[in-house]
Amino acid sequence: MMLLQLTANTGPEECCLAVRKALAQLLRECEAAGVRVELLEQVDSEVRGNLRSVLLALEGEGAGCVASRWSGSLLWVCPSPYRPRHGRKNWFIGGAVFDTGEAGDGSDELDDRDIRFEAVRASGPGGQHVNKTDSAVRATHMPSGLSVKVQTERSQHANKRLARALLAHKLTALADAAASAARDQRWRQHQDVERGNAVRTFVGERFVERLAVP
């Protein structure tokens, strides 16, 4: 299983629209590749329907291949739909991937004694199976108070593994954000993304991919 995050970083609303469009494109690619996708988290932006960030779980034989295509700087070239007279046409978002099955995901650094696992009733869509099982897991990192709930998988064991990996991901993100804020680097990092080479480029309102010229 892979975790994939798409984020507008500190970008303007156009970047949040790009995340929305990127998510739609990603879902189409996953469907074509037979990859199952679960939305774990989303952060909405100021404009309804747009997204500041999304965190997804991808599972299936082609999950790694699909996820890797979205890792790095992603460019959307389009005039702003919100500011018609604005001269900027390049909007950058970021993609980050890690494999929950690899020790390198950071979860091996967590001490199980610091995590409280609770079996909880799954909620939301999913039919009778979801309503009658307690396979969902809530994991709380006691030192920080950070908590996540996972009900992606049918088994409690699988949800526990994913919850542990998700906690590691969140703790790493918090540490990175704190360090960036302390050094006032968040904006400079965003600027670096803009100046970097995009791994994929999409053009126009329809978000059509521009293929690299060999």
Side-chain angles (χ1 to χ4, degrees), residues 19-109:
V19 172
R20 174 183 175 180
K21 290 177 177 292
L23 176 59
Q25 175 64 25
L26 170 64
L27 293 177
R28 288 191 290 268
E29 292 181 11
C30 286
E31 182 178 7
V35 173
R36 186 163 65 92
V37 183
E38 293 286 345
L39 176 64
L40 299 179
E41 286 186 345
Q42 74 176 52
V43 178
D44 298 330
S45 70
E46 296 294 329
V47 175
R48 184 176 181 180
N50 287 356
L51 299 164
R52 176 63 55 183
S53 69
V54 290
L55 181 63
L56 308 163
L58 277 59
E59 187 172 22
E61 186 175 344
C65 180
V66 173
S68 65
R69 299 187 68 228
W70 291 91
S71 179
S73 176
L74 307 164
L75 169 62
W76 179 38
V77 182
C78 185
S80 171
Y82 307 119
R83 298 176 286 176
R85 295 182 178 84
H86 194 61
R88 178 178 168 185
K89 295 182 180 181
N90 292 341
W91 314 104
F92 287 82
I93 63 175
V97 178
F98 76 91
D99 187 342
T100 61
E102 294 181 351
D105 64 8
S107 62
D108 57 320
E109 300 176 4

Side-chain angles (χ1 to χ4, degrees), residues 80-154:
S80 171
Y82 307 119
R83 298 176 286 176
R85 295 182 178 84
H86 194 61
R88 178 178 168 185
K89 295 182 180 181
N90 292 341
W91 314 104
F92 287 82
I93 63 175
V97 178
F98 76 91
D99 187 342
T100 61
E102 294 181 351
D105 64 8
S107 62
D108 57 320
E109 300 176 4
L110 286 178
D111 191 331
D112 282 334
R113 294 173 295 182
D114 291 335
I115 306 175
R116 184 179 71 235
F117 291 100
E118 302 171 85
V120 295
R121 183 64 57 89
S123 60
Q128 294 181 351
H129 181 84
V130 166
N131 295 331
K132 294 182 180 180
T133 62
D134 292 325
S135 62
V137 169
R138 178 179 288 112
T140 303
H141 184 246
M142 303 302 291
S144 66
L146 190 65
S147 179
V148 298
K149 179 182 176 182
V150 175
Q151 60 184 51
T152 301
E153 301 300 318
R154 294 296 190 186

